[in-house]
Every structure is written in structure tokens, then in C-alpha cells.
Amino acid sequence: MKTRYALVTGASRGIGRAIATRLAAEGYHVLVNYRANEEKARETLDEIVAGGGTGELMPFDVGNAREVADAIDEWNDRHAGAFIEVLVNNAGTRRDNLLFWMTDEEWHDVINTNMNGVFHVTRALARYMMSGKRGRIVNVVSVSGVSGMAGQVNYSASKAGIIGFTRALALEVAKKGVTVNAVAPGFIDTDMTRDLDRVALAKRVPAGRFGTAGEVAALVSFLVSDEASYVTGQVIGVSGGL
Ligand code: NAP
């Protein structure tokens, strides 16, 4: 059977790791991207292999256009005739501050990773999906980008930007068998939310708890499946009702 390839950005930890292991269990050969944390990325790969799947590491900084293009070109050179048909743009960061105190660096770092990063990686892969007439792109955004969150103007702007990106790109590629959707998690139990007051925040969630990375992965798994071929340009919450 032909190998099917999926790239998950930011797959060394958290939601990305859960998505990578889930897609591997469903038969994809998963490219595990990360920026710096090779040890954690290897743990993801070990988990994939322990579950009977296959994968490989693919480090690059999504915010660095050159690094992204080089990594994808290098992979394509090694895999003549194959293409990456699933892309999950999951890599993300947050640097919270009130607007009044927000530094240029906090603004640009978050916009560069969360927004420019999606542009760099998607641009590098979408044309292969279009010529292969099959593709699934899922962008991990956030409830913060849908309704806004105080202290997160940079993060909310970056995620809202990617919601617009998702809707526009879906229109561009629909006829080529490529779908583009976004999932919007609420509070999910990962390193990113480790510093938050969980007890207080869980009270704001109608479901009364933080979600798990596996619950986000389950939604992504549906969106990349063949069954989801008529779902495109959508933003779907996975937020316990938040
Ligand atoms: P996390 O545990 O902090 O993990 C972040 C992942 O992104 C790591 O794998 C990290 O790689 C990678 N990463 C960060 N910057 C990168 C870059 N420039 N290039 C490549 N990889 C980069 O975060 P998470 O909670 O799993 O979040 C995953 C996604 O879900 C993010 O887009 C986040 O905004 C979104 N989200 C999370 C929540 C939540 O409650 N956790 C809610 C809504 C949305 P290294 O290990 O190498 O640093």
C-alpha cells in the first residue's frame, strides 16, 4: 500500500504530540516537527513506534521562511513521486501582556510563530497537494482568536488572522480536492497552560474542566479523514462550550 505522509508542526509536546501519535496510529507516516526540543520530539517518535506506527523528525522554526523551505525541499528531494498530503499547523506560542506593557518583541514573536509560521509551511506544501488532487490542512487556532482574551492582543490577533487565512485558502483550493479547516481549542491541559490558575479558569468553562490534547486530536483526526471531504473553510471549537 502507498505510504501516506502527514506533517504536524510543534509535535514535540502537548496537542501536537497527541495529533502526531493519533495520525500515526491511523496509518500515516508522521513527520514530527519541533523547533528546539529534540529530546521531547524523540519521545513523540518513540510513542509512535511503540504504537506500531512510523515517523521521522523534521526540525525547523516555522517562523523562519528559509528554514521551512529548505526542510521541505530536502524532504521532497528524498521522496520523488510522494507528497505530504496532511498538514497540521499546530506550532504556537504565547507571550501574554496587557497592550500598555507589551513589547515589540512580544508582539512580533507571537505573530511570527503563530501567523507567519502557518503561511510559510502551508505555502511550501499546498502546491503539492493541489497537483496530487488530495490534501488536508488543519490549523490549530484558539477560542482566544474567536472571542478575544484580555492580556493576549498578540495571541488573539495571530489566531484571528489564521481564521481569515483558513477561510480564504479554503476557497482557493476547494476544486483541487484540498480542504482547509481550523480547530479552536479552549483551555487544554499542556505545558502552555501550566502557569495558569486551573481551578479558577475551569469554573469559567461550561464543561467545568480543562480539555485533553487527545480530545483535540480526535477532532483533527476526523477533519483529515476521507469522510470529511465536504467540510472546508470551517472553524470548529473544542472547548467544553467556552
Ligand atoms: P505547547 O505544549 O507549549 O507546545 C508547543 C509546541 O510548538 C512545541 O512542540 C514547540 O516545539 C512548538 N513550537 C513553538 N514554536 C515553534 C516554532 N517557531 N517552530 C516550530 N515549532 C514550534 O503548546 P500546546 O498547548 O500543545 O499548543 C499547541 C497549539 O494549540 C498552539 O498553536 C496553541 O496556540 C494552540 N492552543 C493551545 C491551547 C491550550 O490550552 N493549550 C488552547 C488553544 C490553542 P519545542 O518543543 O521545540 O519548543
Side-chain angles (χ1 to χ4, degrees), residues 58-242:
M58 192 191 242
F60 55 76
D61 176 348
V62 296
N64 183 322
R66 189 71 266 148
E67 267 187 42
V68 172
D70 286 351
I72 304 288
D73 286 350
E74 194 269 330
W75 188 90
N76 281 326
D77 288 347
R78 280 191 290 119
H79 295 82
F83 73 103
I84 298 165
E85 66 181 60
V86 170
L87 165 62
V88 184
N89 283 308
N90 164 80
T93 191
R94 58 172 261 256
R95 309 256 317 252
D96 297 355
N97 213 341
L98 294 173
L99 175 72
F100 189 76
W101 288 291
M102 186 164 288
T103 64
D104 287 358
E105 208 222 330
E106 286 165 342
W107 172 264
H108 289 297
D109 181 27
V110 170
I111 295 293
N112 194 46
T113 300
N114 296 5
M115 193 149 77
N116 298 345
V118 173
F119 166 64
H120 296 147
V121 184
T122 310
R123 181 180 56 178
L125 292 185
R127 63 196 160 112
Y128 297 100
M129 295 181 187
M130 286 166 75
S131 46
K133 299 255 181 324
R134 190 196 186 265
R136 295 281 184 272
I137 298 168
V138 179
N139 299 321
V140 181
V141 294
S142 170
V143 163
S144 177
V146 176
S147 39
M149 194 83 78
Q152 292 199 319
V153 292
N154 50 357
Y155 185 83
S156 294
S158 71
K159 297 298 189 180
I162 293 308
I163 290 172
F165 176 101
T166 301
R167 296 199 198 280
L169 183 62
L171 304 180
E172 289 185 21
V173 299
K175 284 209 169 61
K176 301 285 187 189
V178 180
T179 67
V180 191
N181 291 288
V183 300
F187 294 115
I188 307 296
D189 189 7
T190 68
D191 290 349
M192 192 178 269
T193 51
R194 214 63 84 201
D195 61 329
L196 303 179
D197 181 345
R198 279 152 188 262
V199 177
L201 289 172
K203 287 189 185 134
R204 284 173 46 191
V205 181
R209 64 171 177 88
F210 276 33
T212 66
E215 287 171 316
V216 181
L219 175 58
V220 173
S221 156
F222 169 68
L223 289 172
V224 306
S225 71
D226 292 334
E227 285 172 304
S229 54
Y230 206 52
V231 181
T232 195
Q234 303 305 303
V235 181
I236 305 174
V238 49
S239 62
L242 190 70

